[in-house]
Amino acid sequence: MFTSNFLSAIKIILILFFILPAKALSQNATEIVKKADELMRAKSSYTELTMKIIKPNWTREMSMKVWALEPDYALIFITSPARDKGTVTLKRKNEVWNWLPSAQKVIKIPPSMMLQSWMGSDFTNDDLVRESSIINDYTHKIIGEEKIDGYDCYKIQLTPKPEAGVVWSKIITWIAKDLYLQPLTEYYDEDNKIVKRFEGSDLKTMDGRKIFTHWEMIPLDKPGNKTVMDYTKIQFNIKIDDSFFSEQNMKKVR
Amino acid sequence: MITYIKLAWRNLWRNKKRTLISAASVFFAVILSLIMRSMQKGYYDYMIDSSVRLYTGHIQIHGKDFWEKRSLEESIYFDETVIQKLKKNKNISQIIPRLETFSLISSGKVSKVVQVNGINPQIENDVTKLSEKIVEGNYLKENSSGILIAEGLAKLLGVNVGDSVILYGQGYHGVTAAAVIPIEGIVKFAIPDQNKSFTYLALNNSQQFFSAYDRITSLSILLNDADEIESTKTFLKNYFDNSYEIMDWAELSPELVQSIQVDNASGIIMLGILYVVIAFGIFGTIMMMTAERVKEFGILISIGMKKGKLAIVTILETIFISFIGVAAGALISIPILLYLVNHPIPLTGETADAILAWGFDPIIPFAFYPGMYFAQIWTVLAIAFVSALYPVNFIRKLKPSVALRG
């Protein structure tokens, strides 16, 4: 009688001492990732940006407007160069559609083309639609604190949950403690080899938020390749609903 | 030794019929195995030659890494003067420029990824006879703005000559390539894969469409003589710097090489079975010969002939018989094989139609190489020599008393 009570008391104490703080910490990591994610993505947004595709022997620059309604919808309207102007990419759940003004036609990208690069960039069509959410599909753990580009950051490791259909074996991201911005994120493949880096910099205030406006996607397996994005305008939580993301509207947006 | 040889030789002609029957078994063995091997080799050569002619060419020149990545970024500048210079090499018979890439083709609700081949209509037709595969519409001209699509693909998209399809892909340096293109003609391929995914544009048109002005992805080279592949490769490697890759047909179609290797293995097994049959035939005749000479051997040994000497004589006899058979077989087979090489056996009926549909000629081709020729001769000789051990053993065990009683 006494012993069993004593044992359960010990158990409770043990739980209080070891397990709860771990829980609290991991929740903490999840909270941090959530905050960072919400800061950059919001519920909905309108962005104007230029994308520079850099290859070993050529570069190409495009400008575009992006309307997004998290997590399912995005519409990208290319404004330059002249040759691609008016091309629209619509992401709806896990489908990608393109409006080709030169052919006056909407085309659905078949699954076999999902892994092709989008507009020649280091992003694939699949990257546009990948359903994985860094909140729900990963477990988060703070594995250290480091200074990156002068920002004091939490170093957080994201490990995919077993049931999540995710291509990365892990993601390591650095999140600035006070701004909740991510100056650096590293993606690892199944051999635990780093495949690409995603770097943010150039802090500006846009639409009342302090955010990074310069992003670089660097595929490490392809030296000399890089995709650089510069935000010129961004609006968070705009009034927009899913009817905006329709085939009809692809032909109308300007 | 001379005496032995004389004895053996005379022994042969004491019984002409017996000798001729054994020699004939060797003779037919040589002819049969030669014809069989010639047929196998001929078939492989023909396969290689057809695939080279219909598709890859003997040698291809691409930009470095093109074969692995297959993108327009590895395309090369198409220089007419280079072609003229290469044409001076007397081994080279044809040079075929192509701009090959993948695109999305779409009509109505159906989209599919297809291979888009930018071709020079004239040169392509000289080599692959593409215009003969047209089942509807017209073949391309140099300045055509239309597209040829494979027949299975046309069915899939539900389109016909005169309709338009949308071609949507990525051009050189990642620019978008999208256009509505009228279908000029429909081509039918026997190979199902090709029939579902091949399309052709005139080279100029495809260069514009993909913003790959004056560029091509490959130069296919056809040679006058397939034996000159290595020397021509060396010549090309010296001509082009290492920003190019030079590949021969074996590197370009490893699956063909593999299927030939597999088939060759089974061919060798078949040949093995043939050899076993031949061996028993030769062995059988020698056994009979030995058996009917029991009395003769018995008498010779009884009157003091050494068994060893007798064995040597019989061995010599077998060797002579084998040589007579092999020499006759080899001589007779030369004209037969040469005739077959030049007049392959034509096939008729349904088989012929099926083979024709695949783009091959309905024939059983033969080939003739010295190497293969001598391989058969040595093998048959070896079989005959091994068979010669039987009478030796027979004589060793022979008891004259038993032999004489017959």
Side-chain angles (χ1 to χ4, degrees):
Chain A
M1 192 72 200
F2 163 77
T3 46
S4 68
N5 270 342
F6 178 73
L7 277 178
S8 47
I10 292 272
K11 261 191 201 150
I12 288 166
I13 289 164
L14 280 175
I15 286 169
L16 286 174
F17 260 93
F18 293 97
I19 300 168
L20 275 185
K23 267 245 190 302
L25 267 180
S26 77
Q27 225 155 21
N28 202 353
T30 307
E31 285 299 311
I32 295 165
V33 174
K34 219 177 190 148
K35 266 197 169 145
D37 193 51
E38 274 165 11
L39 177 69
M40 275 321 290
R41 307 226 290 187
K43 282 268 174 293
S44 63
S45 61
Y46 166 75
T47 318
E48 288 177 17
L49 62 110
T50 57
M51 180 185 272
K52 205 188 243 154
I53 296 159
I54 298 166
K55 300 276 166 176
N57 44 13
W58 55 273
T59 57
R60 188 167 157 245
E61 200 166 321
M62 293 191 293
S63 308
M64 59 196 78
K65 300 172 178 175
V66 185
W67 291 263
L69 177 59
E70 297 297 339
D72 287 336
Y73 301 99
L75 192 146
I76 307 170
F77 177 85
I78 310 282
T79 51
S80 80
R83 202 188 153 115
D84 295 326
K85 188 177 174 7
T87 307
V88 174
T89 300
L90 171 67
K91 169 226 160 157
R92 212 161 56 188
K93 296 210 165 76
N94 54 359
E95 292 176 341
V96 177
W97 303 73
N98 278 358
W99 161 252
L100 308 170
S102 55
Q104 287 289 303
K105 188 153 183 267
V106 172
I107 284 188
K108 179 176 185 253
I109 302 293
S112 54
M113 274 180 80
M114 286 310 261
L115 290 175
Q116 293 226 332
S117 90
W118 179 77
M119 300 299 246
S121 69
D122 290 309
F123 295 97
T124 63
N125 285 307
D126 196 50
D127 288 335
L128 297 177
V129 302
R130 189 155 319 120
E131 279 299 285
S132 70
S133 126
I134 60 165
I135 316 294
N136 301 328
D137 290 342
Y138 294 86
T139 53
H140 318 86
K141 194 168 144 210
I142 298 177
I143 53 171
E145 298 187 5
E146 280 175 14
K147 230 183 166 69
I148 298 273
D149 297 343
Y151 298 98
D152 278 324
C153 297
Y154 295 110
K155 184 178 180 184
I156 296 180
Q157 179 172 323
L158 283 66
T159 314
K161 291 176 180 168
E163 70 276 9
V166 174
V167 290
W168 313 113
S169 69
K170 67 174 185 203
I171 299 174
I172 295 180
T173 184
W174 282 260
I175 299 181
K177 285 181 182 175
D178 43 357
L179 294 166
Y180 291 100
L181 287 168
Q182 294 159 279
L184 176 59
T185 305
E186 292 177 341
Y187 297 82
Y188 291 80
D189 67 5
E190 57 272 14
D191 306 326
N192 254 336
K193 227 176 80 198
I194 178 161
V195 182
K196 60 180 189 183
R197 298 163 65 102
F198 197 49
E199 298 176 359
S201 60
D202 198 5
L203 189 69
K204 280 183 189 161
T205 306
M206 281 193 174
D207 201 25
R209 298 187 183 190
K210 275 192 170 167
I211 52 164
F212 286 146
T213 57
H214 179 88
W215 296 91
E216 298 198 355
M217 158 79 89
I218 305 158
L220 296 169
D221 49 351
K222 299 183 209 149
N225 284 21
K226 202 155 78 160
T227 300
V228 178
M229 291 179 295
D230 279 293
Y231 293 170
T232 46
K233 185 180 174 184
I234 191 160
Q235 292 168 330
F236 294 104
N237 297 324
I238 52 169
K239 268 199 150 35
I240 199 164
D241 63 24
D242 52 18
S243 67
F244 180 88
F245 301 93
S246 67
E247 259 182 78
Q248 292 72 16
N249 202 32
M250 285 173 86
K251 305 169 191 176
K252 288 200 301 242
V253 285
R254 286 290 164 268
Chain B
M1 194 68 206
I2 297 286
T3 332
Y4 294 134
I5 291 175
K6 263 192 187 154
L7 263 177
W9 189 248
R10 285 181 186 164
N11 262 341
L12 285 189
W13 302 112
R14 268 188 316 124
N15 189 338
K16 280 202 194 68
K17 204 182 274 177
R18 190 172 63 199
T19 305
L20 286 178
I21 287 175
S22 336
S25 74
V26 176
F27 165 82
F28 283 115
V30 170
I31 289 207
L32 273 177
S33 64
L34 264 177
I35 287 182
M36 183 156 172
R37 200 63 195 145
S38 159
M39 206 162 101
Q40 288 170 356
K41 285 276 193 197
Y43 172 69
Y44 303 146
D45 284 0
Y46 184 72
M47 287 273 292
I48 291 164
D49 191 65
S50 301
S51 125
V52 157
R53 258 169 217 298
L54 287 171
Y55 186 58
T56 55
H58 288 105
I59 302 176
Q60 276 189 21
I61 302 164
H62 327 118
K64 197 169 172 294
D65 296 335
F66 168 76
W67 199 245
E68 190 194 344
K69 295 185 181 164
R70 302 287 176 105
S71 89
L72 289 174
E73 302 313 312
E74 289 81 39
S75 59
I76 46 182
Y77 178 70
F78 180 47
D79 191 343
E80 285 284 355
T81 55
V82 169
I83 305 283
Q84 295 315 321
K85 276 188 190 135
L86 290 181
K87 278 248 168 94
K88 290 206 173 83
N89 182 323
K90 60 184 183 308
N91 292 327
I92 294 175
S93 85
Q94 290 273 17
I95 299 175
I96 311 137
R98 292 189 187 120
L99 182 76
E100 297 177 341
T101 184
F102 293 93
S103 278
L104 194 65
I105 195 165
S106 159
S107 170
K109 287 253 176 271
V110 194
S111 309
K112 195 174 178 306
V113 179
V114 294
Q115 181 167 343
V116 182
N117 303 308
I119 51 164
N120 176 317
Q122 172 97 46
I123 302 176
E124 190 76 21
N125 195 40
D126 287 347
V127 180
T128 62
K129 306 276 184 293
L130 184 61
S131 69
E132 293 172 15
K133 296 190 177 72
I134 297 264
V135 286
E136 255 176 273
N138 303 310
Y139 186 60
L140 295 172
K141 294 184 189 65
E142 190 145 350
N143 49 11
S144 296
S145 56
I147 189 169
L148 295 183
I149 71 172
E151 178 250 357
L153 181 61
K155 273 208 184 96
L156 191 87
L157 296 170
V159 292
N160 218 318
V161 175
D163 295 343
S164 287
V165 286
I166 289 163
L167 213 53
Y168 171 43
Q170 241 173 45
Y172 188 50
H173 287 187
V175 292
T176 308
V180 182
I181 298 184
I183 297 173
E184 193 106 348
I186 291 178
V187 274
K188 188 169 173 150
F189 294 100
I191 300 167
D193 268 1
Q194 285 187 346
N195 208 32
K196 282 204 207 73
S197 67
F198 265 47
T199 65
Y200 292 89
L201 292 172
L203 186 59
N204 305 344
N205 188 25
S206 72
Q207 285 170 337
Q208 271 181 5
F209 178 75
F210 291 108
S211 318
Y213 303 102
D214 298 324
R215 300 185 77 82
I216 49 168
T217 52
S218 66
L219 278 176
S220 285
I221 293 183
L222 272 181
L223 303 180
N224 291 316
D225 180 357
D227 295 338
E228 296 296 335
I229 288 182
E230 276 312 312
S231 62
T232 315
K233 248 173 98 172
T234 314
F235 160 78
L236 292 169
K237 278 186 173 153
N238 290 334
Y239 189 95
F240 290 99
D241 63 33
N242 58 7
S243 64
Y244 294 87
E245 58 186 26
I246 316 278
M247 296 169 82
D248 61 29
W249 67 266
E251 293 164 305
L252 295 164
S253 23
E255 65 286 345
L256 177 67
V257 177
Q258 266 177 356
S259 74
I260 284 178
Q261 278 170 341
V262 169
D263 197 274
N264 194 26
S266 68
I268 285 173
I269 291 170
M270 284 293 293
L271 204 63
I273 294 171
L274 182 69
Y275 284 145
V276 169
V277 173
I278 288 169
F280 276 105
I282 295 175
F283 188 66
T285 32
I286 288 177
M287 239 168 98
M288 305 238 276
M289 275 172 56
T290 321
E292 69 173 3
R293 290 168 72 183
V294 171
K295 233 191 179 114
E296 182 189 328
F297 290 152
I299 291 168
L300 281 171
I301 293 165
S302 330
I303 58 173
M305 174 82 158
K306 288 266 182 309
K307 275 189 178 180
K309 290 180 179 176
L310 190 57
I312 289 172
V313 173
T314 51
I315 287 179
L316 284 172
E317 281 178 44
T318 320
I319 289 175
F320 287 148
I321 287 177
S322 319
F323 267 112
I324 291 168
V326 166
L331 282 174
I332 301 280
S333 62
I334 289 176
I336 294 180
L337 285 179
L338 284 178
Y339 177 83
L340 286 173
V341 168
N342 291 316
H343 303 83
I345 299 172
L347 294 167
T348 52
E350 278 178 27
T351 331
D353 294 340
I355 295 176
L356 265 174
W358 279 82
F360 298 130
D361 293 332
I363 52 172
I364 299 178
F366 289 84
F368 186 39
Y369 300 117
M372 138 193 131
Y373 184 75
F374 287 109
Q376 307 318 312
I377 290 173
W378 296 135
T379 317
V380 175
L381 268 183
I383 291 172
F385 287 178
V386 171
S387 309
L389 296 175
Y390 173 79
V392 173
N393 194 35
F394 184 88
I395 289 166
R396 193 175 56 81
K397 289 206 285 202
L398 191 75
K399 292 193 176 68
S401 53
V402 180
L404 284 172
R405 242 179 278 135

